[in-house]
């Protein structure tokens, strides 16, 4: 192998999409759109209960029932922050349905590329339209902004599914994988397994040094541990005598491609966020500066996706039409996985998935709630809110580099680290709830929010990494794609509940702080559920399940694309 591996042209085109799309999600979806929706709603709002005095943008902090700002939207008086939460909830609910339904199209080499670019330019255009908004606020404009947020959210999610569906195809084109396929040599000794794992790691380092800064690979590998099975699936299945050198290299190559793609996306997202901070500061965080940031994120997404369109393989149209399945097939595939027979066969995996529903919703709702809390309750400026978003991302990368080293030194399992991350993340709503109960003046200063943002980032990185790593250990060998589609389904099926519930609580109480009570419940319920998970027994169950399916694996179980929507 050469000392510096140059990516295949198809791979470079795929990396270009990570560079393009991550800016939209890291900047627009995560920060600018939530606070823009809140600010647009506030611009047409009035202080309750008289509803005669217009709300002040960037005024004094909203301390509760006094001077509560409400906007009249669709005939109802709604808290501006709640409106943003409701829109987010609707977007996630529709997104969950769409990413499952488009699975058959993502499976087709011909349709996945076309759907990818259709979604890209729908999402890009929905962001660019914010640049055309008139300066005078009105209720229809607020509704249009909410609709564009939903469209952009769905377009990005579906585009990501299609992008991830290219991973197995690109991995099979790798020169080392092609060589291994020709040889088709069965791995029988641990030395050969270790050599395969080491080659995969070396490929990541060699290719990564051409594209990403030195030292970032470790963090990226940790963050993307869900899709990187890394050496675990290789070693876990080695005793069966069925694993081949080709299969091991294919798994590690997918791992490598995903890791470098995530690194490139992270670099582009954080860099663009820092650049977009400049006009926000210069324009003092007014609504136009926020809309400008959203529009430029859409332009970035659309322009830098052009190399992807030129470079990705297109597939044969006639073959795509022959292989095309219906939306019904996608939902049938998911339905087959949640039958009582499957749940009884893999109890630990499904117990973990039940906990994951609450954990995923809770952690992501904390992220969204905190951004709006900074803006609407503490009246932080948009530039300060953006800095908090950047702090969270950097803290997540730092912890992702440090925690694996600590884990190795303390000889802790993936499950141990995940459980500690859940407990650490729960301290944030605990802190807020203790303040409410004891009537302490907590979550009331900028310093507090920056400290909590750093803490959350340090926890969030390992949480994402190790939740997927633990789930990977529970998956039957050879069926990773199928079960990661189920992982994505459980992630999206209930993730709309958190934003809607917190928004409703804020509307009813007039105090977004009470939403942290709900978040505490969401992160408390899965704790005893997680304690019932036995990873060791789960691995045994997974092995038996895989062996029982070995002789009767259907074509549906062989699908490669839709499972990657767990990315």
């Amino acid at each position: 192998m050469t000392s510096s591996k140059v990516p295949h042209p198809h791979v470079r085109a795929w990396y270009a999409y990570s560079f393009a799309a991550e800016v939209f999600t890291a900047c627009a979806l995560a920060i600018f759109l939530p606070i823009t929706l809140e600010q647009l709603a506030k611009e047409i709002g009035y202080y309750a209960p008289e509803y005669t005095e217009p709300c002040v943008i960037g005024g004094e902090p909203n301390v509760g029932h006094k001077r509560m700002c409400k906007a009249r939207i669709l005939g109802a008086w709604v808290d501006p922050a709640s409106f943003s939460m409701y829109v987010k909830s609707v977007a996630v609910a529709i997104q969950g349905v769409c990413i499952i339904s488009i699975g058959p199209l993502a499976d087709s080499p011909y349709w996945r590329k076309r759907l990818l670019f259709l979604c890209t330019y729908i999402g890009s255009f929905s962001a660019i339209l914010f640049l055309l908004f008139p300066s005078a606020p009105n209720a229809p404009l607020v509704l249009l902004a909410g609709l564009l947020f939903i469209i952009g959210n769905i377009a990005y999610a579906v585009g990501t599914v299609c992008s991830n569906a290219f991973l197995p195809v690109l991995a099979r084109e790798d020169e080392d994988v092609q060589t291994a396929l020709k040889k088709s040599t069965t791995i029988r000794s641990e030395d050969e397994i270790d050599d395969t794992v080491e080659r995969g790691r070396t490929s990541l380092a060699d290719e990564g040094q051409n594209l990403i800064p030195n030292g970032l690979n470790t963090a990226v590998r940790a963050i993307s541990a869900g899709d990187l099975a890394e050496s675990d699936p290789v070693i876990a299945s080695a005793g069966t005598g069925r694993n081949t050198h080709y299969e091991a290299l294919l798994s590690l190559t997918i791992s490598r491609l995903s890791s470098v793609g995530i690194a490139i996306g992270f670099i582009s997202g954080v860099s663009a966020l820092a650049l977009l901070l400049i006009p926000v500061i210069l324009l003092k965080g007014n609504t136009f500066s926020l809309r400008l940031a959203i529009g430029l994120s859409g332009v970035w997404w659309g322009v830098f996706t052009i190399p992807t369109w030129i470079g990705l393989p297109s597939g044969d149209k006639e073959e795509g039409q022959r292989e095309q399945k219906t939306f019904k097939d996608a939902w049938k595939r998911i339905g087959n996985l949640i039958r009582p027979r499957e749940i009884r066969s893999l109890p630990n995996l499904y117990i973990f998935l039940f906990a994951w529903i609450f954990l995923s919703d809770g952690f992501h709702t904390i992220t969204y709630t905190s951004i709006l809390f900074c803006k609407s309750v503490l009246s932080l400026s948009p530039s300060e809110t953006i800095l908090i978003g950047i702090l969270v991302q950097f803290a997540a990368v730092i912890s992702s580099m440090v925690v694996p080293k600590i884990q190795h030194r303390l000889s802790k399992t993936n499950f141990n680290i995940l459980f500690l991350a859940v407990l650490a993340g729960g301290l944030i709503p605990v802190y807020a709830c203790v303040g409410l109960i004891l009537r302490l003046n907590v979550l009331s200063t900028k310093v507090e929010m920056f400290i909590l943002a750093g803490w959350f980032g340090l926890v969030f990185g390992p949480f994402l990494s190790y939740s997927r790593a633990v789930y990977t250990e529970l998956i039957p060998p050879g069926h990773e794609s199928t079960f990661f589609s189920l992982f994505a389904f459980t992630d999206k099926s209930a993730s709309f509940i958190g934003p809607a519930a917190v928004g409703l609580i804020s509307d009813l109480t007039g105090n977004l702080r009470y939403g942290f009570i709900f978040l505490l419940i969401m992160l408390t319920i899965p704790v005893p559920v997680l304690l019932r998970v036995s990873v060791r027994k789960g691995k045994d169950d997974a092995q038996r399940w895989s062996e029982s399916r070995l002789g009767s694996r259907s074509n549906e179980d062989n699908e490669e694309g839709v499972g990657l929507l767990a990315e």
Side-chain angles (χ1 to χ4, degrees), residues 342-529:
E342 308 300 340
I343 295 175
R344 288 192 299 268
S345 300
L346 300 166
N348 287 283
L349 182 144
Y350 285 94
I351 291 173
F352 180 84
L353 282 176
F354 180 73
W356 171 248
I357 291 174
F358 293 92
L359 291 173
S360 176
D361 194 15
F363 269 81
H364 285 95
T365 304
I366 285 179
T367 304
Y368 202 84
T369 301
S370 298
I371 291 294
L372 291 176
F373 186 86
C374 292
K375 178 67 173 59
S376 65
V377 179
L378 299 183
S379 294
L380 267 66
S381 67
S383 59
E384 291 170 327
T385 305
I386 293 168
L387 286 175
I388 283 180
I390 295 175
L391 176 60
V392 169
Q393 294 188 51
F394 273 111
V397 171
I398 292 172
S399 62
S400 296
M401 288 189 290
V402 173
V403 169
K405 297 179 181 179
I406 297 175
Q407 177 192 11
H408 179 72
R409 180 169 298 180
L410 299 179
S411 300
K412 296 295 183 180
T413 65
N414 290 337
F415 183 84
N416 294 148
I417 303 298
L418 172 62
F419 193 76
L420 290 174
V422 171
L423 295 180
L427 291 178
I428 295 177
V430 166
Y431 177 72
C433 291
V434 169
L436 286 171
I437 294 172
L438 301 181
R439 298 184 182 278
L440 300 175
N441 192 27
V442 302
L443 295 180
S444 58
T445 66
K446 298 177 182 179
V447 174
E448 277 183 287
M449 294 310 301
F450 276 97
I451 292 174
L452 289 177
W455 175 261
F456 182 72
L458 291 174
V459 172
F460 195 50
F463 167 74
L464 290 178
S465 153
Y466 285 93
S467 59
R468 296 180 179 223
V470 170
Y471 182 71
T472 298
E473 295 184 75
L474 300 172
I475 292 176
H479 298 264
E480 288 83 5
S481 180
T482 300
F483 279 91
F484 265 119
S485 67
L486 181 61
F487 189 75
F489 175 71
T490 55
D491 182 19
K492 302 301 180 185
S493 61
S495 291
F496 67 92
I497 295 176
V502 173
L504 182 61
I505 290 170
S506 178
D507 255 339
L508 295 177
T509 64
N511 191 344
L512 190 56
R513 285 182 172 87
Y514 287 111
F516 285 97
I517 297 176
F518 174 79
L519 293 173
L520 178 60
I521 295 173
M522 291 292 288
L523 295 182
T524 300
I525 291 176
V527 170
V529 178

Side-chain angles (χ1 to χ4, degrees), residues 151 209 249 282 292 327 332-333 399 420:
I151 292 173
Q209 70 184 12
L249 270 181
L282 293 177
L292 177 63
F327 293 159
K332 182 179 179 181
R333 180 184 297 163
S399 62
L420 290 174

Side-chain angles (χ1 to χ4, degrees), residues 15-252:
Y15 287 157
Y17 188 75
S18 295
F19 183 82
E22 188 61 25
V23 168
F24 181 74
T25 182
C27 300
L29 291 182
I31 296 178
F32 292 114
L33 276 166
I35 61 179
T36 299
L37 291 182
E38 186 269 349
Q39 190 153 308
L40 285 172
K42 199 170 186 178
E43 286 181 343
I44 64 168
Y46 295 86
Y47 288 112
E50 293 85 4
Y51 300 112
T52 56
E53 181 185 355
C55 298
V56 177
I57 306 298
E60 74 276 9
N62 180 1
V63 295
H65 296 286
K66 296 180 181 180
R67 297 180 61 79
M68 185 168 56
C69 180
K70 295 275 189 174
R72 190 169 181 81
I73 300 173
L74 294 177
W77 290 99
V78 182
D79 182 279
S82 296
F83 170 70
S84 184
M85 300 289 283
Y86 294 147
V87 172
K88 172 68 173 178
S89 180
V90 172
V92 173
I94 300 175
Q95 171 188 320
V97 174
C98 290
I99 62 174
I100 299 299
S101 300
I102 60 92
L105 289 179
D107 285 342
S108 167
Y110 177 80
W111 292 110
R112 76 166 67 108
K113 179 176 179 178
R114 283 144 185 84
L115 184 59
L116 171 66
F117 291 98
L118 176 63
C119 291
T120 292
Y121 289 104
I122 288 176
S124 175
F125 186 66
S126 72
I128 294 172
L129 282 178
F130 277 88
L131 295 173
L132 305 180
F133 277 25
S135 57
N138 56 74
L141 195 68
V142 175
L143 289 175
L144 176 60
L147 177 61
L148 293 177
F149 175 90
I150 293 171
I151 292 173
N153 199 304
I154 295 170
Y156 171 78
V158 174
T160 300
V161 172
C162 296
S163 173
N164 292 335
F166 277 99
L167 270 172
V169 178
L170 301 178
R172 292 191 188 97
E173 292 178 345
D174 185 86
E175 181 180 348
D176 294 332
V177 173
Q178 288 286 328
T179 301
L181 177 61
K182 293 176 182 178
K183 293 182 178 179
S184 297
T185 304
T186 302
I187 296 177
R188 300 185 182 277
S189 69
E190 290 190 8
D191 289 341
E192 290 175 300
I193 295 170
D194 292 339
D195 178 66
T196 298
V197 174
E198 189 58 35
R199 290 186 69 188
R201 290 173 176 164
T202 302
S203 292
L204 172 58
D206 289 342
E207 183 172 305
Q209 70 184 12
N210 287 325
L211 299 164
I212 56 180
N214 291 332
L216 190 57
N217 281 337
T218 302
V220 174
R221 289 161 70 85
I223 292 173
S224 59
D227 79 313
L228 303 178
E230 187 79 320
S231 61
D232 290 344
V234 177
I235 296 173
S237 60
T240 64
R242 298 194 310 271
N243 191 63
T244 65
H245 182 64
Y246 163 73
E247 291 167 344
L249 270 181
L250 179 64
S251 174
L252 288 168

